Amino acid sequence: MSGIGIDSQSLSLFLTVAITFAMGAFFGYHIFRMRLSDIELCKMQLRSVHRASFQKTKLMNFSEFQVFRVIEQDAAIKRAGLRLVAQAPLGEILQSQHKYGFRAVNGKRVDMLIVDRGGWPLLAIEYQGEGHYNDTSGLRDAIKRTALTKAGIGYLELFPKDKADRNLLLSRVHAKLGWAAPVRESNVHDLRSHIRAVHP
């Protein structure tokens, strides 16, 4: 009887080792295939790039760039140490543990983004120029606005009528940054304190 017991234990141990080895080989093979697939995908993309022709294009259209220049040259924004970025990808300035929620914004961009001196995003700006809207543009803007607002990033839509008046345009930007009055040298310190309070 004891001989049979030993044989059973040996068989059980052998089966355990065999199953473990087989599972390791199975998963190892699939991990290798996954890595190989990534390499092959990159090679395929490289071959496609070699075959294709490319031409440079403007980052922004003429109207967007006009608005960008007005905000970029604003003395108050410069004194506060803020910077303006064009075509900022939301996937780089937002994070979320919700997989599908993040996927919904990952491929989207905002026309302009104001960041503080530490690189924290403060205000996203969308310029709704002529011909901007189509069947889905309102929904796409709502997706961006909702995600940015949840993350504590301001959101401002500008229109052609704002572009016509430089002071009006800048006053709308300043108001969204939380500046109640025109920024002068005397209250730049208060402005910087406000920014640090928003993004410590």
Side-chain angles (χ1 to χ4, degrees), residues 87-107:
Q87 300 297 341
L90 296 190
E92 298 299 322
I93 63 170
L94 295 174
Q95 293 181 343
S96 177
Q97 297 301 314
H98 193 286
K99 180 172 66 173
Y100 298 108
F102 183 75
R103 283 183 184 175
V105 301
N106 190 31

Side-chain angles (χ1 to χ4, degrees), residues 48-194:
S48 296
V49 169
H50 276 302
R51 294 183 187 126
S53 61
F54 292 90
Q55 299 79 36
K56 64 183 177 182
T57 185
K58 286 186 176 181
L59 184 62
M60 311 177 81
N61 65 39
F62 181 72
S63 294
E64 288 172 338
F65 191 61
Q66 283 184 307
V67 172
F68 182 90
R69 292 289 288 163
V70 169
I71 300 171
E72 181 186 46
Q73 294 171 355
D74 181 42
I77 286 177
K78 288 181 178 179
R79 285 199 300 271
L82 307 185
R83 293 182 181 275
L84 186 63
V85 179
Q87 300 297 341
L90 296 190
E92 298 299 322
I93 63 170
L94 295 174
Q95 293 181 343
S96 177
Q97 297 301 314
H98 193 286
K99 180 172 66 173
Y100 298 108
F102 183 75
R103 283 183 184 175
V105 301
N106 190 31
K108 292 179 173 56
R109 299 176 296 176
V110 289
D111 294 331
M112 292 160 249
L113 179 72
I114 295 178
V115 299
D116 68 14
R117 62 181 58 219
W120 287 100
L122 293 178
L123 177 63
I125 301 171
E126 287 282 81
Y127 178 69
Q128 312 290 16
E130 298 88 348
H132 175 84
Y133 280 97
N134 57 36
D135 292 342
T136 62
S137 58
L139 288 172
R140 291 199 309 271
D141 288 341
I143 292 167
K144 290 188 277 189
R145 181 173 57 249
T146 302
L148 289 161
T149 303
K150 282 190 169 187
I153 301 171
Y155 184 87
L156 172 64
E157 289 182 318
L158 294 174
F159 300 89
K161 63 182 176 62
D162 299 313
K163 186 185 70 170
D165 185 334
R166 183 180 186 278
N167 292 329
L168 173 62
L169 190 156
L170 291 177
S171 69
R172 294 200 63 204
V173 173
H174 292 180
K176 274 293 184 176
L177 288 170
W179 305 348
V183 180
R184 299 183 175 87
E185 292 292 344
S186 58
N187 62 355
V188 167
H189 176 74
D190 294 337
L191 170 59
R192 289 175 179 162
S193 298
H194 168 77

